[in-house]
PDB file of all heavy atoms in Angstrom:
ATOM      1  N   ASP A   4       0.858  -1.212   0.006  1.00 90.00           N
ATOM      2  CA  ASP A   4      -0.073   0.011  -0.016  1.00 90.00           C
ATOM      3  C   ASP A   4       0.835   1.273  -0.036  1.00 90.00           C
ATOM      4  O   ASP A   4       1.475   1.569   1.048  1.00 90.00           O
ATOM      5  CB  ASP A   4      -0.910  -0.037   1.209  1.00 90.00           C
ATOM      6  CG  ASP A   4      -2.059   0.981   1.119  1.00 90.00           C
ATOM      7  OD1 ASP A   4      -1.831   1.922   0.225  1.00 90.00           O
ATOM      8  OD2 ASP A   4      -3.049   0.819   1.772  1.00 90.00           O
ATOM      9  N   GLY A   5       1.008   1.898  -1.147  1.00 81.00           N
ATOM     10  CA  GLY A   5       1.866   3.096  -1.278  1.00 81.00           C
ATOM     11  C   GLY A   5       1.007   4.350  -1.222  1.00 81.00           C
ATOM     12  O   GLY A   5       1.536   5.483  -1.680  1.00 81.00           O
ATOM     13  N   ASP A   6      -0.273   4.281  -0.895  1.00 78.00           N
ATOM     14  CA  ASP A   6      -1.030   5.574  -0.805  1.00 78.00           C
ATOM     15  C   ASP A   6      -0.868   6.170   0.596  1.00 78.00           C
ATOM     16  O   ASP A   6      -1.068   5.422   1.639  1.00 78.00           O
ATOM     17  CB  ASP A   6      -2.534   5.050  -1.017  1.00 78.00           C
ATOM     18  CG  ASP A   6      -3.433   6.244  -1.369  1.00 78.00           C
ATOM     19  OD1 ASP A   6      -3.212   7.276  -0.745  1.00 78.00           O
ATOM     20  OD2 ASP A   6      -4.430   6.016  -2.184  1.00 78.00           O
ATOM     21  N   PRO A   7      -0.716   7.450   0.595  1.00 72.00           N
ATOM     22  CA  PRO A   7      -0.591   8.167   1.940  1.00 72.00           C
ATOM     23  C   PRO A   7      -1.882   7.972   2.747  1.00 72.00           C
ATOM     24  O   PRO A   7      -1.826   8.223   4.013  1.00 72.00           O
ATOM     25  CB  PRO A   7      -0.344   9.567   1.519  1.00 72.00           C
ATOM     26  CG  PRO A   7       0.168   9.541   0.161  1.00 72.00           C
ATOM     27  CD  PRO A   7      -0.459   8.356  -0.519  1.00 72.00           C
ATOM     28  N   ASN A   8      -3.020   7.708   2.113  1.00 77.00           N
ATOM     29  CA  ASN A   8      -4.254   7.348   2.801  1.00 77.00           C
ATOM     30  C   ASN A   8      -4.534   5.976   2.678  1.00 77.00           C
ATOM     31  O   ASN A   8      -5.423   5.492   1.875  1.00 77.00           O
ATOM     32  CB  ASN A   8      -5.409   8.290   2.331  1.00 77.00           C
ATOM     33  CG  ASN A   8      -6.660   8.061   3.008  1.00 77.00           C
ATOM     34  OD1 ASN A   8      -6.733   7.730   4.185  1.00 77.00           O
ATOM     35  ND2 ASN A   8      -7.884   8.253   2.240  1.00 77.00           N
ATOM     36  N   PRO A   9      -3.909   5.132   3.471  1.00 79.00           N
ATOM     37  CA  PRO A   9      -4.012   3.630   3.183  1.00 79.00           C
ATOM     38  C   PRO A   9      -5.306   3.050   3.491  1.00 79.00           C
ATOM     39  O   PRO A   9      -5.831   3.142   4.594  1.00 79.00           O
ATOM     40  CB  PRO A   9      -2.870   3.114   4.061  1.00 79.00           C
ATOM     41  CG  PRO A   9      -2.705   4.108   5.242  1.00 79.00           C
ATOM     42  CD  PRO A   9      -2.966   5.424   4.556  1.00 79.00           C
ATOM     43  N   ASN A  10      -5.822   2.232   2.572  1.00 89.00           N
ATOM     44  CA  ASN A  10      -7.114   1.512   2.710  1.00 89.00           C
ATOM     45  C   ASN A  10      -7.009   0.168   2.105  1.00 89.00           C
ATOM     46  O   ASN A  10      -8.030  -0.625   2.174  1.00 89.00           O
ATOM     47  CB  ASN A  10      -8.170   2.256   1.986  1.00 89.00           C
ATOM     48  CG  ASN A  10      -8.560   3.521   2.811  1.00 89.00           C
ATOM     49  OD1 ASN A  10      -9.051   3.572   3.920  1.00 89.00           O
ATOM     50  ND2 ASN A  10      -8.381   4.680   2.133  1.00 89.00           N
ATOM     51  N   LEU A  11      -5.788  -0.346   1.673  1.00 94.00           N
ATOM     52  CA  LEU A  11      -5.717  -1.588   0.998  1.00 94.00           C
ATOM     53  C   LEU A  11      -6.053  -2.691   1.956  1.00 94.00           C
ATOM     54  O   LEU A  11      -6.632  -3.833   1.632  1.00 94.00           O
ATOM     55  CB  LEU A  11      -4.317  -1.838   0.313  1.00 94.00           C
ATOM     56  CG  LEU A  11      -4.143  -3.016  -0.528  1.00 94.00           C
ATOM     57  CD1 LEU A  11      -5.158  -3.133  -1.602  1.00 94.00           C
ATOM     58  CD2 LEU A  11      -2.683  -2.917  -1.085  1.00 94.00           C
ATOM     59  N   ALA A  12      -5.680  -2.618   3.208  1.00 95.00           N
ATOM     60  CA  ALA A  12      -5.899  -3.657   4.259  1.00 95.00           C
ATOM     61  C   ALA A  12      -7.264  -4.110   4.237  1.00 95.00           C
ATOM     62  O   ALA A  12      -7.607  -5.387   4.214  1.00 95.00           O
ATOM     63  CB  ALA A  12      -5.402  -3.193   5.524  1.00 95.00           C
ATOM     64  N   LEU A  13      -8.261  -3.271   4.336  1.00 95.00           N
ATOM     65  CA  LEU A  13      -9.744  -3.601   4.448  1.00 95.00           C
ATOM     66  C   LEU A  13     -10.102  -4.235   3.174  1.00 95.00           C
ATOM     67  O   LEU A  13     -10.876  -5.161   3.173  1.00 95.00           O
ATOM     68  CB  LEU A  13     -10.519  -2.323   4.606  1.00 95.00           C
ATOM     69  CG  LEU A  13     -10.209  -1.428   5.988  1.00 95.00           C
ATOM     70  CD1 LEU A  13     -11.045  -0.258   6.046  1.00 95.00           C
ATOM     71  CD2 LEU A  13     -10.452  -2.384   7.156  1.00 95.00           C
ATOM     72  N   THR A  14      -9.610  -3.777   2.027  1.00 96.00           N
ATOM     73  CA  THR A  14     -10.038  -4.437   0.752  1.00 96.00           C
ATOM     74  C   THR A  14      -9.470  -5.738   0.619  1.00 96.00           C
ATOM     75  O   THR A  14     -10.103  -6.668  -0.127  1.00 96.00           O
ATOM     76  CB  THR A  14      -9.620  -3.483  -0.390  1.00 96.00           C
ATOM     77  OG1 THR A  14     -10.133  -2.213  -0.218  1.00 96.00           O
ATOM     78  CG2 THR A  14     -10.061  -4.136  -1.681  1.00 96.00           C
ATOM     79  N   LEU A  15      -8.300  -6.109   1.235  1.00 97.00           N
ATOM     80  CA  LEU A  15      -7.926  -7.427   1.163  1.00 97.00           C
ATOM     81  C   LEU A  15      -8.442  -8.392   2.203  1.00 97.00           C
ATOM     82  O   LEU A  15      -8.436  -9.589   2.068  1.00 97.00           O
ATOM     83  CB  LEU A  15      -6.343  -7.297   1.617  1.00 97.00           C
ATOM     84  CG  LEU A  15      -5.394  -6.847   0.644  1.00 97.00           C
ATOM     85  CD1 LEU A  15      -3.955  -6.484   1.158  1.00 97.00           C
ATOM     86  CD2 LEU A  15      -5.288  -7.689  -0.624  1.00 97.00           C
ATOM     87  N   GLY A  16      -9.332  -7.842   3.258  1.00 96.00           N
ATOM     88  CA  GLY A  16      -9.981  -8.689   4.126  1.00 96.00           C
ATOM     89  C   GLY A  16      -9.687  -8.603   5.581  1.00 96.00           C
ATOM     90  O   GLY A  16     -10.185  -9.348   6.383  1.00 96.00           O
ATOM     91  N   MET A  17      -8.775  -7.701   5.910  1.00 96.00           N
ATOM     92  CA  MET A  17      -8.447  -7.345   7.272  1.00 96.00           C
ATOM     93  C   MET A  17      -9.594  -6.552   8.034  1.00 96.00           C
ATOM     94  O   MET A  17     -10.356  -5.794   7.324  1.00 96.00           O
ATOM     95  CB  MET A  17      -7.100  -6.580   7.446  1.00 96.00           C
ATOM     96  CG  MET A  17      -5.990  -7.426   6.834  1.00 96.00           C
ATOM     97  SD  MET A  17      -4.366  -6.521   7.029  1.00 96.00           S
ATOM     98  CE  MET A  17      -4.089  -6.862   8.745  1.00 96.00           C
ATOM     99  N   SER A  18      -9.745  -6.766   9.275  1.00 94.00           N
ATOM    100  CA  SER A  18     -10.703  -6.029  10.050  1.00 94.00           C
ATOM    101  C   SER A  18     -10.148  -4.584  10.317  1.00 94.00           C
ATOM    102  O   SER A  18      -8.913  -4.419  10.133  1.00 94.00           O
ATOM    103  CB  SER A  18     -11.051  -6.675  11.339  1.00 94.00           C
ATOM    104  OG  SER A  18      -9.872  -6.696  12.183  1.00 94.00           O
ATOM    105  N   ARG A  19     -10.981  -3.844  10.684  1.00 92.00           N
ATOM    106  CA  ARG A  19     -10.609  -2.362  11.008  1.00 92.00           C
ATOM    107  C   ARG A  19      -9.567  -2.458  12.149  1.00 92.00           C
ATOM    108  O   ARG A  19      -8.587  -1.778  12.140  1.00 92.00           O
ATOM    109  CB  ARG A  19     -11.810  -1.522  11.475  1.00 92.00           C
ATOM    110  CG  ARG A  19     -11.456  -0.114  11.999  1.00 92.00           C
ATOM    111  CD  ARG A  19     -10.986   0.671  10.779  1.00 92.00           C
ATOM    112  NE  ARG A  19     -12.066   1.025   9.874  1.00 92.00           N
ATOM    113  CZ  ARG A  19     -11.931   1.683   8.724  1.00 92.00           C
ATOM    114  NH1 ARG A  19     -10.649   2.081   8.413  1.00 92.00           N
ATOM    115  NH2 ARG A  19     -13.025   1.837   7.947  1.00 92.00           N
ATOM    116  N   GLU A  20      -9.779  -3.326  13.203  1.00 94.00           N
ATOM    117  CA  GLU A  20      -8.807  -3.418  14.198  1.00 94.00           C
ATOM    118  C   GLU A  20      -7.492  -3.853  13.824  1.00 94.00           C
ATOM    119  O   GLU A  20      -6.422  -3.481  14.218  1.00 94.00           O
ATOM    120  CB  GLU A  20      -9.368  -4.386  15.370  1.00 94.00           C
ATOM    121  CG  GLU A  20     -10.659  -3.752  16.084  1.00 94.00           C
ATOM    122  CD  GLU A  20     -11.843  -3.839  15.187  1.00 94.00           C
ATOM    123  OE1 GLU A  20     -11.916  -4.637  14.254  1.00 94.00           O
ATOM    124  OE2 GLU A  20     -12.826  -2.942  15.504  1.00 94.00           O
ATOM    125  N   GLU A  21      -7.496  -4.876  12.886  1.00 94.00           N
ATOM    126  CA  GLU A  21      -6.267  -5.473  12.405  1.00 94.00           C
ATOM    127  C   GLU A  21      -5.526  -4.518  11.489  1.00 94.00           C
ATOM    128  O   GLU A  21      -4.248  -4.324  11.680  1.00 94.00           O
ATOM    129  CB  GLU A  21      -6.568  -6.782  11.559  1.00 94.00           C
ATOM    130  CG  GLU A  21      -7.003  -7.886  12.334  1.00 94.00           C
ATOM    131  CD  GLU A  21      -7.543  -9.031  11.469  1.00 94.00           C
ATOM    132  OE1 GLU A  21      -8.078  -8.841  10.322  1.00 94.00           O
ATOM    133  OE2 GLU A  21      -7.405 -10.254  11.906  1.00 94.00           O
ATOM    134  N   ALA A  22      -6.268  -3.698  10.814  1.00 92.00           N
ATOM    135  CA  ALA A  22      -5.657  -2.678   9.919  1.00 92.00           C
ATOM    136  C   ALA A  22      -5.026  -1.533  10.805  1.00 92.00           C
ATOM    137  O   ALA A  22      -3.823  -1.139  10.495  1.00 92.00           O
ATOM    138  CB  ALA A  22      -6.766  -2.047   9.034  1.00 92.00           C
ATOM    139  N   ASP A  23      -5.744  -1.274  11.957  1.00 91.00           N
ATOM    140  CA  ASP A  23      -5.128  -0.138  12.696  1.00 91.00           C
ATOM    141  C   ASP A  23      -3.821  -0.633  13.475  1.00 91.00           C
ATOM    142  O   ASP A  23      -3.085   0.211  13.931  1.00 91.00           O
ATOM    143  CB  ASP A  23      -6.164   0.292  13.765  1.00 91.00           C
ATOM    144  CG  ASP A  23      -7.335   1.059  13.138  1.00 91.00           C
ATOM    145  OD1 ASP A  23      -7.119   1.476  12.005  1.00 91.00           O
ATOM    146  OD2 ASP A  23      -8.336   1.235  13.842  1.00 91.00           O
ATOM    147  N   ALA A  24      -3.679  -1.982  13.651  1.00 92.00           N
ATOM    148  CA  ALA A  24      -2.564  -2.454  14.297  1.00 92.00           C
ATOM    149  C   ALA A  24      -1.368  -2.746  13.505  1.00 92.00           C
ATOM    150  O   ALA A  24      -0.282  -3.040  13.923  1.00 92.00           O
ATOM    151  CB  ALA A  24      -2.893  -3.817  15.057  1.00 92.00           C
ATOM    152  N   ILE A  25      -1.438  -2.387  12.152  1.00 92.00           N
ATOM    153  CA  ILE A  25      -0.257  -2.648  11.263  1.00 92.00           C
ATOM    154  C   ILE A  25       0.748  -1.614  11.650  1.00 92.00           C
ATOM    155  O   ILE A  25       0.555  -0.489  11.859  1.00 92.00           O
ATOM    156  CB  ILE A  25      -0.733  -2.337   9.776  1.00 92.00           C
ATOM    157  CG1 ILE A  25      -1.652  -3.579   9.330  1.00 92.00           C
ATOM    158  CG2 ILE A  25       0.380  -2.326   8.823  1.00 92.00           C
ATOM    159  CD1 ILE A  25      -2.312  -3.257   8.024  1.00 92.00           C
ATOM    160  N   THR A  26       1.987  -2.195  11.606  1.00 89.00           N
ATOM    161  CA  THR A  26       3.149  -1.339  11.729  1.00 89.00           C
ATOM    162  C   THR A  26       3.624  -0.737  10.447  1.00 89.00           C
ATOM    163  O   THR A  26       4.040  -1.488   9.539  1.00 89.00           O
ATOM    164  CB  THR A  26       4.300  -2.147  12.365  1.00 89.00           C
ATOM    165  OG1 THR A  26       4.024  -2.678  13.675  1.00 89.00           O
ATOM    166  CG2 THR A  26       5.584  -1.197  12.528  1.00 89.00           C
ATOM    167  N   TYR A  27       3.444   0.518  10.144  1.00 87.00           N
ATOM    168  CA  TYR A  27       3.843   1.110   8.880  1.00 87.00           C
ATOM    169  C   TYR A  27       5.372   1.139   8.676  1.00 87.00           C
ATOM    170  O   TYR A  27       6.089   1.229   9.612  1.00 87.00           O
ATOM    171  CB  TYR A  27       3.277   2.534   8.764  1.00 87.00           C
ATOM    172  CG  TYR A  27       1.777   2.626   8.704  1.00 87.00           C
ATOM    173  CD1 TYR A  27       0.965   1.671   8.780  1.00 87.00           C
ATOM    174  CD2 TYR A  27       1.177   4.016   8.502  1.00 87.00           C
ATOM    175  CE1 TYR A  27      -0.434   1.732   8.706  1.00 87.00           C
ATOM    176  CE2 TYR A  27      -0.134   4.095   8.538  1.00 87.00           C
ATOM    177  CZ  TYR A  27      -0.960   3.068   8.546  1.00 87.00           C
ATOM    178  OH  TYR A  27      -2.349   3.250   8.478  1.00 87.00           O
ATOM    179  N   ILE A  28       5.748   0.956   7.462  1.00 81.00           N
ATOM    180  CA  ILE A  28       7.116   0.868   7.171  1.00 81.00           C
ATOM    181  C   ILE A  28       7.598   2.377   6.935  1.00 81.00           C
ATOM    182  O   ILE A  28       7.003   3.132   6.006  1.00 81.00           O
ATOM    183  CB  ILE A  28       7.411  -0.048   5.988  1.00 81.00           C
ATOM    184  CG1 ILE A  28       8.999  -0.223   5.764  1.00 81.00           C
ATOM    185  CG2 ILE A  28       6.777   0.387   4.766  1.00 81.00           C
ATOM    186  CD1 ILE A  28       9.282  -1.257   4.887  1.00 81.00           C
ATOM    187  N   PRO A  29       8.649   2.891   7.563  1.00 79.00           N
ATOM    188  CA  PRO A  29       9.073   4.259   7.414  1.00 79.00           C
ATOM    189  C   PRO A  29       9.790   4.367   6.097  1.00 79.00           C
ATOM    190  O   PRO A  29      10.543   3.444   5.739  1.00 79.00           O
ATOM    191  CB  PRO A  29      10.001   4.443   8.598  1.00 79.00           C
ATOM    192  CG  PRO A  29      10.449   3.150   8.936  1.00 79.00           C
ATOM    193  CD  PRO A  29       9.411   2.122   8.618  1.00 79.00           C
ATOM    194  N   ALA A  30       9.674   5.586   5.521  1.00 73.00           N
ATOM    195  CA  ALA A  30      10.428   5.848   4.355  1.00 73.00           C
ATOM    196  C   ALA A  30      12.034   5.746   4.544  1.00 73.00           C
ATOM    197  O   ALA A  30      12.753   5.462   3.602  1.00 73.00           O
ATOM    198  CB  ALA A  30      10.121   7.263   3.788  1.00 73.00           C
ATOM    199  N   SER A  31      12.406   5.887   5.833  1.00 78.00           N
ATOM    200  CA  SER A  31      13.798   5.850   6.142  1.00 78.00           C
ATOM    201  C   SER A  31      14.361   4.468   5.959  1.00 78.00           C
ATOM    202  O   SER A  31      15.605   4.364   6.179  1.00 78.00           O
ATOM    203  CB  SER A  31      13.980   6.408   7.588  1.00 78.00           C
ATOM    204  OG  SER A  31      13.256   5.657   8.512  1.00 78.00           O
ATOM    205  N   ILE A  32      13.593   3.470   5.820  1.00 77.00           N
ATOM    206  CA  ILE A  32      14.044   2.084   5.726  1.00 77.00           C
ATOM    207  C   ILE A  32      14.814   2.022   4.419  1.00 77.00           C
ATOM    208  O   ILE A  32      15.710   1.110   4.270  1.00 77.00           O
ATOM    209  CB  ILE A  32      12.922   1.128   5.697  1.00 77.00           C
ATOM    210  CG1 ILE A  32      13.444  -0.252   6.263  1.00 77.00           C
ATOM    211  CG2 ILE A  32      12.215   0.869   4.390  1.00 77.00           C
ATOM    212  CD1 ILE A  32      13.656  -0.294   7.769  1.00 77.00           C
ATOM    213  N   MET A  33      14.715   2.930   3.509  1.00 74.00           N
ATOM    214  CA  MET A  33      15.405   2.844   2.205  1.00 74.00           C
ATOM    215  C   MET A  33      16.330   4.068   2.061  1.00 74.00           C
ATOM    216  O   MET A  33      15.982   5.163   2.617  1.00 74.00           O
ATOM    217  CB  MET A  33      14.400   3.008   1.067  1.00 74.00           C
ATOM    218  CG  MET A  33      13.343   1.849   1.034  1.00 74.00           C
ATOM    219  SD  MET A  33      13.941   0.202   0.945  1.00 74.00           S
ATOM    220  CE  MET A  33      14.663   0.120  -0.765  1.00 74.00           C
ATOM    221  N   GLN A  34      17.569   3.854   1.592  1.00 76.00           N
ATOM    222  CA  GLN A  34      18.520   4.952   1.468  1.00 76.00           C
ATOM    223  C   GLN A  34      19.029   4.983  -0.005  1.00 76.00           C
ATOM    224  O   GLN A  34      18.788   4.032  -0.783  1.00 76.00           O
ATOM    225  CB  GLN A  34      19.717   4.665   2.407  1.00 76.00           C
ATOM    226  CG  GLN A  34      20.544   3.396   1.939  1.00 76.00           C
ATOM    227  CD  GLN A  34      21.584   3.233   3.029  1.00 76.00           C
ATOM    228  OE1 GLN A  34      21.773   3.899   4.064  1.00 76.00           O
ATOM    229  NE2 GLN A  34      22.353   2.145   2.810  1.00 76.00           N
ATOM    230  N   ARG A  35      19.588   6.114  -0.312  1.00 75.00           N
ATOM    231  CA  ARG A  35      20.033   6.358  -1.690  1.00 75.00           C
ATOM    232  C   ARG A  35      21.259   5.354  -1.968  1.00 75.00           C
ATOM    233  O   ARG A  35      22.139   5.282  -1.112  1.00 75.00           O
ATOM    234  CB  ARG A  35      20.567   7.808  -1.857  1.00 75.00           C
ATOM    235  CG  ARG A  35      19.378   8.811  -1.747  1.00 75.00           C
ATOM    236  CD  ARG A  35      19.937  10.238  -1.582  1.00 75.00           C
ATOM    237  NE  ARG A  35      20.741  10.584  -2.682  1.00 75.00           N
ATOM    238  CZ  ARG A  35      20.421  11.335  -3.751  1.00 75.00           C
ATOM    239  NH1 ARG A  35      19.078  11.728  -3.760  1.00 75.00           N
ATOM    240  NH2 ARG A  35      21.174  11.701  -4.710  1.00 75.00           N
ATOM    241  N   GLY A  36      21.177   4.835  -3.160  1.00 72.00           N
ATOM    242  CA  GLY A  36      22.251   4.065  -3.625  1.00 72.00           C
ATOM    243  C   GLY A  36      22.967   4.630  -4.821  1.00 72.00           C
ATOM    244  O   GLY A  36      22.948   5.836  -4.984  1.00 72.00           O
TER     245      GLY A  36
END
């Protein structure tokens, strides 16, 4: 889910509670190569 307003979790079948518990991946996980 690359949308700043993420909703893919619900469409995949996760509950609202499960979606809210997701640990978002920070942009800082990637660096310039």
Side-chain angles (χ1 to χ4, degrees):
D4 195 338
D6 195 321
N8 181 29
N10 290 297
L11 186 58
L13 299 177
T14 306
L15 286 170
M17 300 181 79
S18 67
R19 177 70 66 183
E20 293 73 24
E21 290 170 330
D23 290 343
I25 291 174
T26 301
Y27 291 3
I28 187 168
S31 59
I32 208 73
M33 305 299 292
Q34 65 183 3
R35 292 166 63 97

